[in-house]
Amino acid sequence: MYKRLTEDAELGKLSTSQDVLARRHLLEETEILKKCEKNGQIADFTIAELEEKANSAFLESIAFLDTKEMHLTYINFLIERLNLNSQYLNDERFERLNDAFYKLESKFQISVDYLVKWMRYLITFKKIDEAFEKIEKYLDEFKSNKDLWTLYLELNINKNAQEDIILKVFYKSIDNIKQNEALELWETIFEWSLNSQSQNAEKLLQLGSSLMVKEISTIARTKYLEWAEKINDSKLKEVYSNLRQIPPYSYEFFLKYIEIEKSRLHEKDVEFAYEDALKHFGNEIIDLWIEYMCFKQEIKKTQDIAGLYWRAMKQLDSDLIEAFSHKFCLIKLNSTDGHAFE
């Protein structure tokens, strides 16, 4: 097969053929690894010699077939090798990959997918200034790419940029990308604002809580509750009151408030929150009813449990009734005091 790929001029013009020819130098790798593992030896240096031959073959292929496809074939090979994660070979593998990306960039238009991969490796190997420079170079060209904006925001945060710069990058990013693709950006800005105790933390939490993208608003609202709890009881109740009836409704939001108020032993507030949650999720979440009944048992209001049971039977979707009844009976039977839900 190798002889045919070498001698056939048409096959030789294919990057896939050149890929196979270069990789043949690594055919012994599996056996070498097994042998070294058996003998307790480190295989990295032997593998490095084989890898050097494969790299030389790829470079010869690029000299012969200087196409974008061939460059990407080589880059894919280098990424594959780097992902093997050898403590002895990682730095050398990264340098090869970085050089290959620079050569690709100098001759062809690099796609945003490969650009993002490149930037991630630059950051991983502490080439922060290079990554910063490259992202700034390409942001206008790929201004709707969420990954580039996220990396750029993270780089500014990690470089301890001034707050106004970080916020400017964030607001510009969410102006340029689709709202339903912005989750990672919001998570990043929330983490930064809360950890740094930014004066803009509440403003950001309010803004995120108002979005109609449920993934983002849910995270914003749960973090808003956590933030408010640290302020005081009045602030916590204010935040909950302001958000409890605003869509998109989130089960996690109600659970977070219930969790906080349980820890503060505020029984009436817990009951109030359970009732709020039931208005929106009582038809679809069995565990909400079960947990509410268990709470009633804990606070010695067992007289309310029968009423909750019958409310659940009426409110739950019909296809959930059997599962609810089964779970209710199991908990009743497994009660430690033998008197649960009576």
Side-chain angles (χ1 to χ4, degrees):
M1 177 182 73
Y2 296 114
K3 183 178 180 181
R4 184 185 174 196
L5 290 176
T6 304
E7 295 176 352
D8 191 311
E10 293 303 313
L11 286 175
K13 293 178 182 178
L14 300 175
S15 61
T16 51
S17 299
Q18 297 301 322
D19 187 34
V20 171
L21 288 170
R23 287 174 181 270
R24 65 180 167 171
H25 297 289
L26 293 168
L27 289 175
E28 300 175 25
E29 182 177 30
T30 303
E31 286 302 316
I32 291 172
L33 289 170
K34 288 181 180 178
K35 185 177 179 180
C36 288
E37 184 179 0
K38 183 178 180 180
N39 297 330
Q41 298 174 326
I42 296 175
D44 296 63
F45 302 108
T46 305
I47 298 301
E49 293 178 4
L50 301 180
E51 207 168 286
E52 179 62 38
K53 293 178 181 178
N55 274 292
S56 296
F58 269 112
L59 293 175
E60 289 175 9
S61 298
I62 287 174
F64 164 70
L65 188 64
D66 193 11
T67 64
K68 184 176 182 179
E69 187 178 3
M70 188 66 239
H71 279 265
L72 291 176
T73 298
Y74 180 42
I75 285 173
N76 289 336
F77 166 76
L78 293 173
I79 290 174
E80 178 186 314
R81 300 306 297 178
L82 183 54
N83 287 344
L84 293 175
N85 195 27
S86 162
Q87 60 176 317
Y88 300 104
L89 303 178
N90 274 358
D91 289 340
E92 183 180 357
R93 285 170 173 169
F94 166 71
E95 290 301 332
R96 285 196 183 115
L97 176 61
N98 197 28
D99 184 60
F101 270 122
Y102 270 108
K103 288 179 179 176
L104 172 69
E105 182 192 35
S106 69
K107 294 187 176 185
F108 306 98
Q109 184 177 13
I110 189 169
S111 71
V112 67
D113 291 340
Y114 276 95
L115 179 63
V116 169
K117 289 179 183 179
W118 187 11
M119 296 306 101
R120 292 193 192 283
Y121 283 115
L122 284 174
I123 293 168
T124 299
F125 285 87
K126 311 301 181 185
K127 303 291 184 180
I128 304 302
D129 290 337
E130 285 183 49
F132 210 92
E133 180 184 338
K134 289 295 178 187
I135 291 175
E136 287 190 326
K137 175 183 175 180
Y138 284 103
L139 262 179
D140 283 341
E141 183 178 349
F142 301 116
K143 62 183 178 182
S144 63
N145 185 268
K146 64 182 179 64
D147 294 319
L148 272 188
W149 279 111
T150 302
L151 290 173
Y152 191 45
L153 179 60
E154 290 172 348
L155 283 172
N156 275 280
I157 290 172
N158 293 334
K159 285 174 70 101
N160 294 316
Q162 293 182 353
E163 181 162 331
D164 61 329
I165 293 175
I166 291 172
L167 291 172
K168 182 179 178 181
V169 170
F170 171 71
Y171 287 126
K172 190 173 180 181
S173 71
I174 60 174
D175 282 343
N176 279 286
I177 68 173
K178 295 177 181 178
Q179 200 175 89
N180 61 2
E181 294 181 350
L183 176 61
E184 193 173 356
L185 280 158
W186 281 99
E187 288 176 327
T188 302
I189 203 68
F190 288 150
E191 182 179 0
W192 164 78
S193 65
L194 294 171
N195 289 342
S196 65
Q197 298 183 332
S198 166
Q199 292 183 349
N200 288 281
E202 184 172 15
K203 180 181 177 181
L204 290 164
L205 291 168
Q206 287 174 337
L207 182 60
S209 296
S210 69
L211 297 180
M212 293 305 294
V213 178
K214 190 173 181 179
E215 282 183 315
I216 298 173
S217 64
T218 295
I219 290 174
R221 292 178 187 195
T222 53
K223 288 187 178 295
Y224 200 178
L225 288 173
E226 292 171 350
W227 175 85
E229 180 190 12
K230 295 175 183 178
I231 304 300
N232 54 49
D233 184 65
S234 176
K235 188 65 178 179
L236 174 65
K237 286 179 169 52
E238 176 192 324
V239 170
Y240 178 72
S241 178
N242 289 341
L243 296 175
R244 54 186 281 270
Q245 295 294 353
I246 297 178
Y249 302 111
S250 163
Y251 182 50
E252 291 80 7
F253 168 71
F254 292 109
L255 284 187
K256 172 56 68 175
Y257 184 67
I258 288 168
E259 174 191 320
I260 292 172
E261 292 295 21
K262 276 185 177 180
S263 70
R264 297 155 71 94
L265 304 178
H266 293 175
E267 294 178 4
K268 289 185 178 180
D269 293 312
V270 173
E271 291 175 304
F272 185 77
Y274 269 122
E275 290 294 339
D276 277 346
L278 287 174
K279 291 174 186 175
H280 304 292
F281 302 101
N283 66 319
E284 59 182 291
I285 301 179
I286 292 172
D287 285 344
L288 179 58
W289 291 99
I290 297 296
E291 288 167 13
Y292 191 15
M293 286 187 276
C294 288
F295 177 69
K296 289 287 191 177
Q297 177 72 18
E298 290 171 14
I299 62 174
K300 311 302 181 185
K301 288 188 177 180
T302 54
Q303 70 275 10
D304 296 342
I305 293 174
L308 283 173
Y309 175 83
W310 289 112
R311 281 175 60 193
M313 294 293 283
K314 292 179 181 179
Q315 193 171 339
L316 281 167
D317 291 341
S318 58
D319 58 340
L320 298 176
I321 295 298
E322 185 177 349
F324 167 72
S325 297
H326 180 68
K327 197 162 191 175
F328 178 85
C329 291
L330 282 177
I331 293 177
K332 190 173 181 180
L333 289 171
N334 293 330
S335 173
T336 54
D337 61 11
H339 300 288
F341 301 168
E342 291 185 359

